[in-house]
Amino acid sequence: MATKRVWTRGLSTAAAVGVGALAGVAASFATQRHTLRSLHARLDELELAAGAHHHSDLASQQRQHWELLSKALDDPELAEVLDLYEASVTPKQRRQYLFANALYTNLLFYYRIGNLTKEEFFKHVRGIFQNPIVRDYWYATRQQRASLADTDEAELGQLVDDLLRQLEETDTEEWWVVGDPPSA
């Protein structure tokens, strides 16, 4: 009988130790889960802040780009600095090209900050490239875009090049149906 009691007492002690260990493990997991949730929440906050900072940087750059173009549009001598076209252009054409650049850059910016999807970007450029001056600008700046490899701007430039080729090859007057907008 004494042996039975010792064995039962040992079993009770082992069970108590086991239950205590399980409780400790469960508490440890709960603490780790709470810590992980806190870390994920902080990472989400940091990503949002980084995204807002990135948008702020893009907006600042866009504003500076427009200020520089505005100065060039107002002053023909400054506009000559931006004359990097493949063929010589008149002062009037230069001003028009600078404005075409501003239109295109504005769409590019809207795409970059997420205000336009690639499909919406495509539809907008399909509209602005109906203007022959904008098309002339695009062709006159071909060499400048050639150096933009592996960037979103290069990808969108290729999209515009493909669209223009399709617009030139089409025999329909319904330009708004030419080309397949990219998905996503």
Side-chain angles (χ1 to χ4, degrees):
M1 199 79 157
T3 310
K4 250 185 182 180
R5 256 192 225 147
V6 171
W7 184 79
T8 306
R9 219 177 309 145
L11 187 60
S12 296
T13 304
V17 169
V19 168
L22 284 176
V25 167
S28 175
F29 279 139
T31 301
Q32 287 177 352
R33 188 176 18 202
H34 175 72
T35 302
L36 284 174
R37 274 195 214 127
S38 296
L39 286 172
H40 281 291
R42 182 65 181 138
L43 281 174
D44 290 344
E45 289 173 17
L46 290 172
E47 286 175 358
L48 284 173
H53 184 70
H54 179 68
H55 284 156
S56 174
D57 287 348
L58 282 172
S60 177
Q61 189 277 328
Q62 177 70 5
R63 206 171 12 264
Q64 184 176 23
H65 180 260
W66 176 247
E67 288 172 12
L68 290 170
L69 284 179
S70 293
K71 288 180 181 186
L73 287 167
D74 292 341
D75 186 338
E77 291 177 4
L78 293 179
E80 288 178 19
V81 174
L82 296 176
D83 190 342
L84 304 171
Y85 309 111
E86 291 183 20
S88 62
V89 296
T90 66
K92 177 183 176 181
Q93 286 174 309
R94 187 178 304 118
R95 287 175 51 82
Q96 291 170 332
Y97 286 5
L98 291 173
F99 191 75
N101 174 269
L103 287 174
Y104 179 76
T105 303
N106 188 54
L107 287 176
L108 181 65
F109 171 73
Y110 266 47
Y111 171 77
R112 284 181 171 159
I113 64 171
N115 284 356
L116 290 176
T117 64
K118 194 178 288 187
E119 180 180 357
E120 291 168 328
F121 174 88
F122 177 86
K123 290 176 180 179
H124 282 283
V125 296
R126 185 169 50 193
I128 67 169
F129 278 88
Q130 293 309 303
N131 185 299
I133 296 168
V134 176
R135 283 188 191 196
D136 289 345
Y137 152 77
W138 191 256
Y139 295 132
T141 57
R142 182 178 295 133
Q143 69 183 10
Q144 294 173 34
R145 286 187 308 282
S147 65
L148 301 173
D150 300 326
T151 63
D152 64 338
E153 191 170 351
E155 179 184 345
L156 295 174
Q158 185 61 52
L159 182 132
V160 173
D161 288 340
D162 294 343
L163 172 63
L164 286 177
R165 190 177 3 71
Q166 292 172 25
L167 285 167
E168 290 168 359
E169 293 172 355
T170 189
D171 58 355
T172 182
E173 295 292 319
E174 299 173 338
W175 58 265
W176 56 91
V177 298
V178 175
D180 293 321
S183 57

